Amino acid sequence: MPKKKKLEPSLVEFRIHFRLSDCVGLSVKYFMALDLEQAFSMFDYVCRKNKLDAEITKLYQWNRWLSRWEQFDITDFSTVYAGGNYSFGFSIDDQALIAQS
C-alpha cells in the first residue's frame, strides 16, 4: 500500500508598508512566508542588508479565500516583537497615513 504524501505547509502573502527615516513617502514590500514571524525575519534581512532605517506603518495578509487584503493591528505587534532584536520599528500614530488611506 503506498504511503500518503506529507502535506507541505502553505505559504501566505504578506504586504508590509514602511517608511524610511530619510524619505517622506511610503514604500511597500511583499513576502511569501509560512507565518508573520518569518515575514518579519525576511524584512529584517532586507533592512540589515541594505542598511535601511525603517518603520512599519501598516501590515496586511492576503486572504486567498475572500480574495482581499486583511489588515493587522500593528499595535499588537509593536509590543510582542519589540524584544525580537529586529532592525526595524513600528510607527503607530501617523496622521499622514490617514490622509492617504
Side-chain angles (χ1 to χ4, degrees), residues 23-36:
C23 295
V24 176
L26 296 176
S27 299
V28 178
K29 284 271 187 209
Y30 295 86
F31 296 98
M32 294 296 292
L34 295 174
D35 56 21
L36 187 57

Side-chain angles (χ1 to χ4, degrees), residues 47-63:
C47 291
R48 289 179 193 271
K49 179 182 174 193
N50 297 317
K51 297 180 176 85
L52 303 176
D53 183 20
E55 285 187 336
I56 294 177
T57 57
K58 290 186 181 180
L59 180 62
Y60 297 90
Q61 178 179 344
W62 180 251
N63 184 329

Side-chain angles (χ1 to χ4, degrees), residues 21-99:
S21 62
D22 57 350
C23 295
V24 176
L26 296 176
S27 299
V28 178
K29 284 271 187 209
Y30 295 86
F31 296 98
M32 294 296 292
L34 295 174
D35 56 21
L36 187 57
E37 188 172 345
Q38 189 179 42
F40 280 160
S41 294
M42 288 189 254
F43 184 67
D44 183 55
Y45 173 76
V46 170
C47 291
R48 289 179 193 271
K49 179 182 174 193
N50 297 317
K51 297 180 176 85
L52 303 176
D53 183 20
E55 285 187 336
I56 294 177
T57 57
K58 290 186 181 180
L59 180 62
Y60 297 90
Q61 178 179 344
W62 180 251
N63 184 329
R64 64 182 178 174
W65 308 114
L66 298 176
S67 297
R68 68 176 184 205
W69 289 102
E70 295 180 346
Q71 186 173 357
F72 288 100
D73 183 7
I74 63 169
T75 56
D76 298 337
F77 300 107
S78 61
T79 56
V80 172
Y81 290 99
N85 197 22
Y86 290 115
S87 63
F88 58 86
F90 294 89
S91 178
I92 297 168
D93 297 323
D94 192 0
Q95 297 300 322
L97 292 177
I98 295 171

